[in-house]
Amino acid sequence: VFLTDGASAAVKMVLQLLVRGPEDGVLLPIPQYPLYSATLTLLGGQPVGYYLDEKAGWGINLEELERSISEFRKSGGTPRAIVVINPGNPTGQVLSAEVIGSVLRFAEREGLAVLADEVYQDNIHSDDKTFVSMSPQNTEIGR
């Protein structure tokens, strides 16, 4: 557990631990709040974009994650982490437990740290969506 003076400080601290040099990259959703890409630029790392699927309510598509990480590795980069913003900012999407499980299994298989940005969990503006945290999903997958 890290206590910080805000989200920006926390993100910077964690990315400082992960990014060792210019060959290191972090998978970031597109679109996304620019905190992550700006901090990576400051630290000398590389943002590795993965596009959210607008047709699927701005969800995460596993094939897109595979494409993104594969292209980055082919360019000589070393992926270190994936950022998942749930609920999304600026899209407002809410990820299902199934999608979260897929992302966590992908991260485990690829050796990636997971940065789960769940700060907007109380800002769901749809009666048919329920927030699911990554933490209990991660515990289930780890068993």
Side-chain angles (χ1 to χ4, degrees), residues 55-69:
K55 292 178 183 173
W58 297 102
I60 297 175
N61 181 305
L62 199 56
E63 291 175 1
E64 173 60 12
L65 295 179
E66 299 283 359
R67 180 209 58 80
S68 180
I69 200 168

Side-chain angles (χ1 to χ4, degrees), residues 80-133:
R80 303 278 292 153
I82 182 170
V83 172
V84 179
I85 305 171
N86 181 40
N89 179 10
T91 64
Q93 101 284 358
V94 180
L95 300 176
S96 69
E98 180 183 0
V99 169
I100 290 170
S102 295
V103 171
L104 290 171
R105 285 187 291 278
F106 167 81
E108 181 180 37
R109 184 178 71 245
E110 299 295 340
L112 302 175
V114 177
L115 283 73
D117 183 337
E118 299 179 342
V119 71
Y120 301 107
Q121 62 187 280
D122 292 329
N123 294 353
I124 298 172
H125 304 288
S126 175
D127 292 335
D128 64 334
K129 302 281 183 175
T130 302
F131 171 74
V132 178
S133 177

Side-chain angles (χ1 to χ4, degrees), residues 15 19 24 28 34-47:
L15 290 177
V19 175
D24 287 343
L28 303 176
L35 167 62
Y36 297 94
S37 52
T39 304
L40 275 169
T41 299
L42 178 68
L43 297 174
Q46 297 185 52

Side-chain angles (χ1 to χ4, degrees), residues 2-20 26 28 33-45 81 83 115-117:
F2 294 98
L3 298 177
T4 66
D5 59 346
S8 296
V11 167
K12 183 177 179 187
M13 180 173 35
V14 171
L15 290 177
Q16 282 176 312
L17 293 170
L18 293 168
V19 175
R20 303 166 298 185
V26 176
L28 303 176
Y33 181 74
L35 167 62
Y36 297 94
S37 52
T39 304
L40 275 169
T41 299
L42 178 68
L43 297 174
V83 172
L115 283 73
D117 183 337

